[in-house]
Amino acid sequence: MCDGCHHPDFVKAKEPDHVGEGYPTSCETCHTEKGWDPSSFDHDKSWPLTGDHALASCASCHSDKVYAGKSKLCVSCHQDDYDGAGDPDHVTLGLPTTCADCHGTQDWATNSFTGHAAIWPLVGKHADATCQSCHAEGYKGTTTVCDGCHHPDFVKAKEPDHVGEGYPTSCETCHTETGWDPSSFDHDKSWPLTGDHALASCASCHSDKVYAGKSKLCVSCHQKDYDETTEPDHGALGTPLTCQVCHGTTDWAPAQFGGHDDLWPLLGKHADATCESCHATGYADTPTTCDGCHHEDYLGAESVDHVAKGFPLTCEKCHAETGWTPATFDHDLVWPLTGAHAPAACESCHAGSVYSGTPTTCNGCHAPDYASATSPSHTDWNLSTECQTCHTTSAWPPAEFPASVHNTRFLISGNTNHKEFGCTDCHKTSSYADWICVSCHTGKHEINKMNAKHLGDVSKYASTMAAAATPDLGCKSCHPKGQE
């Protein structure tokens, strides 16, 4: 070993004093065989010498003459610095002894604690604050809420009075770390401040000192306005408490109920009517039928006595919202008024002042005409009660008896020539029941000739003129449809 020969050199070495500073006798650690100078110990391999450490003497760190296994903890050399630190007082504040967390090797004054962002980012005014301003009582358990440090600021704030007005202590709701002013609470996120609300003081809505969970119902602030309103009297009329339905935030007047069209469109005279005219007894359960409001008008109608005539209560059938007159009942929607029906008086069809359930078939009104008809007798002939088969609304005559119906009683179409004749050719009198074949079929059909021809051969043939003159007993007995 080197020291076996060079111990005298070790003993006499004074720069540095190897014996006095307790250097190890392992010469090869620092020297080579080329010479004592320069020494070649590479301190960076065990502890990099940076900042003030690079300028320090070996003895300043190895005063205990311990080189091998020397502690690498800062506090092993700097405990006295830790204990004597007063700005801040490390011992009193309970700061950790891991000096490197806050200090570099350049000097103590340069604070380089890098872990603060993970706990509480230092931005805005916090970046310029001293450690003691937040850690006056130590570093362990330091509060992480604004009010934990700033409660005194909260208490002394007067514009506005935070305590007096019951503001929440969550400073970050209104303030940022750049400063107390301007406050940055975004009211629109919870309740947009528009119209007069934008000009109101906080206390005007939060006089109860309630901010969190504050009711958003208009009436929660405006119940007094509702109770004292007289135009119209909201309480007496039972107006709903949803103020925003009729009012905006700019002012109470003008009020504009925006949802009326969804319930009842305000047209014509209704558009000019006051609310009370329809809502005199309140807003809940207001009638939605005309008669619900206008029954008195119905009872008092003079130009046409609605009650006496039994008019229906569906006002809209005859009237529009522009006014009671002119009445506009469209009869064509129920029964088109054509021909003689058009000038007829209402009572002629609606006898007894009955409009509901009025018949919509001809016979419903004209059964007496049917029963009294004699030319021909509708009852004797058992004609259809569907008057429109032969008649129009213009008048009873002329009637158009369809050939298809005539054919069921006496054939006038097909393989005979009867279709060429008019009604009066066969029906010589006003009675259509009075017709005789031989009145037309003369000559070879003269009754005596017919008797001579038929008597012996046709058992049903009537032998007298009287019998032949009765259609059912004469020719028509064998020729019921006028066929040969």
Side-chain angles (χ1 to χ4, degrees), residues 352-396:
S353 303
V354 176
Y355 285 80
S356 178
T358 302
T360 55
T361 63
C362 302
N363 193 60
C365 285
H366 293 292
D369 299 299
Y370 176 93
S372 62
T374 58
S375 182
S377 172
H378 289 32
T379 55
D380 289 347
W381 281 48
N382 194 28
L383 296 182
S384 170
T385 56
E386 294 182 1
C387 310
Q388 67 271 25
T389 303
C390 303
H391 304 282
T392 67
T393 58
S394 298
W396 291 120

Side-chain angles (χ1 to χ4, degrees), residues 411-414 416-422:
L411 194 67
I412 59 171
S413 62
T416 74
N417 292 323
H418 287 125
K419 63 181 180 179
E420 298 176 358
F421 298 99

Side-chain angles (χ1 to χ4, degrees), residues 403-426:
S404 59
V405 177
H406 201 290
N407 287 344
T408 62
R409 300 185 64 81
F410 192 91
L411 194 67
I412 59 171
S413 62
N415 60 359
T416 74
N417 292 323
H418 287 125
K419 63 181 180 179
E420 298 176 358
F421 298 99
C423 300
T424 56
D425 290 331
C426 295

